[in-house]
Amino acid sequence: MTRPLQITVLGATGSIGLSTLDVVSRHPERYSVFALTGFSRLAELRTLCVQHRPRYAVVSDETQSLVLQDQLQRDGLATRVLSGEGGLSEVAAHPEVDVVMAAIVGAAGLKPTLAAVRSDKRVLLANKEALVMSGALFMQALRDSAAVLLPIDSEHNAIFQCLPPNYSRGLAAVGVRRVLLTASGGPFRDLAPEFLADVTPEQACAHPNWSMGRKISVDSASMMNKGLELIEACWLFDARPHQVEVVIHPQSVIHSMVDYVDGSVLAQLGNPDMRTPIAHALAWPERIDSGVSALDLLQIGRLDFQAPDDLRFPCLRLARLAAENGGTAPAMLNAANEVAVDAFLNRRIRFTEIASIIDDVLNREASVPTDCLEDVLAADRQAREIAGAWLSRNGR
Ligand code: NAD
Ligand code: MG
C-alpha cells in the first residue's frame, strides 16, 4: 500500500484552510497533515493541531510560537512550532511534503507559495493575490520546476475542468475562443448605485451564495475579486484579457465556462461549496467524495445571466486596465486594494472609496516591467505607501 500524501495547509485557520481539512479528514488513507499555519486565532490553530496532529505548526512570531509550543506540549503533541516567513517557506518546501494548499490571504502568501512551486510540490492555489502580483515570475518558476499547479478558485477550477488536457499549447491551438468567468455580482448586484457609498462592512461581508473570509467577501462585493480572477485566468491559461469575459450569474451554480470555436460551450456546475474544487485538486486526475451534496437542478429551477455594470463596479474596469498594462500594474492594483479593503473594514473609508484609492495609486505610479521578485515587492511597497498617503489625507 502507498503511504498517505503529506500535506501542508498554509492558512489553515481560514475559510479555505478549514474546508481543506474537512475534505482531507474524509480520506485518512490518502492524506496526512504535515503542517498547519495560522496568523492570528491561536486557540483555533491549537484545536486544529489536536485534531490533525501535524509534524509542524507555524505562527506569525516568536512570542506566539513559544505560547503555542508550550500548549501543544501540554496537549501531549510532538508538533514543532515555527514562526514567521521563514517558517512558512520551510513547511512549504520541506522534502517530505507532497501537497501544499496555498490558502493565505493576500500578498503575505507569495513567498511560501513560490517556495512550494520551486520545491516541485503539487500546489493547490487559492491565494490568487500571489499569482496576480507576480504572474510572469510565478509561471516561469512553475515551468522551471516539476511542480503541478491546480487552481482552487472555483471559476479557474471549473475552466481547468472544461479545457482539454493539452491546453498549455495555447488556447487558440486547442480551439478555444474565450473563457467565460461567472460572477455572482455579490450582495450589491441590485442595489441602486447611490446607496453604495453608505454600505457597511457587515453588509459587504454578507455574501448571498458563498461563505468566505472577510477580505475576499469585500472583494466580491466590489467585484475586485472578479478583476483579480481575470488576471489570474490570464496567467493560468495563457489568455489575453480580451479572451476573458465576465458574466454575472446570480445563482453561482455554473462556476465558469469555456467557449470553443465550433460553437460548443462547456460548463462546470455544482453547489457553491469550495470543498468541490478542493477535492478535485487534491485527487486530480481521480475523483473523491468532498462531502458536498448532489446538485438539484429542479430545485434551482433557473439559471440567469447578465452583463456587469462598469459604473456600479469600477474595480472590475481598473483590474482589466492593470491586466492590459501588465508589468507592475497588477501588483500595484493588488496592494492598493489590500490597503483599501482593510481601511473599509476598519471604517476609515466608504465602500466607494476603495476604487478611488486604487485609481489614485495606478495614476500616480507608471507600470514598469518586472524582472525579479524584488521588482514585484518594491511595487507592492510603493503602492502601499501611496495608498497610505491617500488615507492620511482623506481617511477618517
Ligand atoms: P481567511 O481570511 O478566512 O483566511 C486567511 C488565512 O490566512 C488564515 O489562516 C490567516 O491566519 C492567514 N493569514 C492572514 N494573514 C496572514 C499573514 N500576514 N501571514 C500569514 N498568514 C496569514 O481567507 P479565505 O477566505 O480562506 O481566503 C484565502 C485565500 O483563498 C484568499 O487568497 C482568497 O482570495 C482565496 N479564495 C477563497 C475562497 C473562499 O471561498 N473563501 C474562494 C476562492 C479563493
Ligand atoms: Mg472565485
Side-chain angles (χ1 to χ4, degrees), residues 11 13-16 39 103-105 108 126-129 153 212-213 274:
T13 52
S15 164
I16 293 287
F39 190 66
I104 289 175
V105 60
N127 180 207
K128 65 192 86 182
E129 296 92 345
D153 223 338
M212 309 181 286
M274 290 307 292

Side-chain angles (χ1 to χ4, degrees), residues 128 152-156 181-182 210 212 216 220 225-226 229 232 255 274:
K128 65 192 86 182
I152 292 299
D153 223 338
S154 55
E155 297 76 3
H156 306 75
L181 208 55
T182 53
W210 299 92
M212 309 181 286
I216 186 177
S220 298
N225 184 47
K226 215 46 57 180
E229 290 183 357
E232 183 184 13
H255 298 306
M274 290 307 292

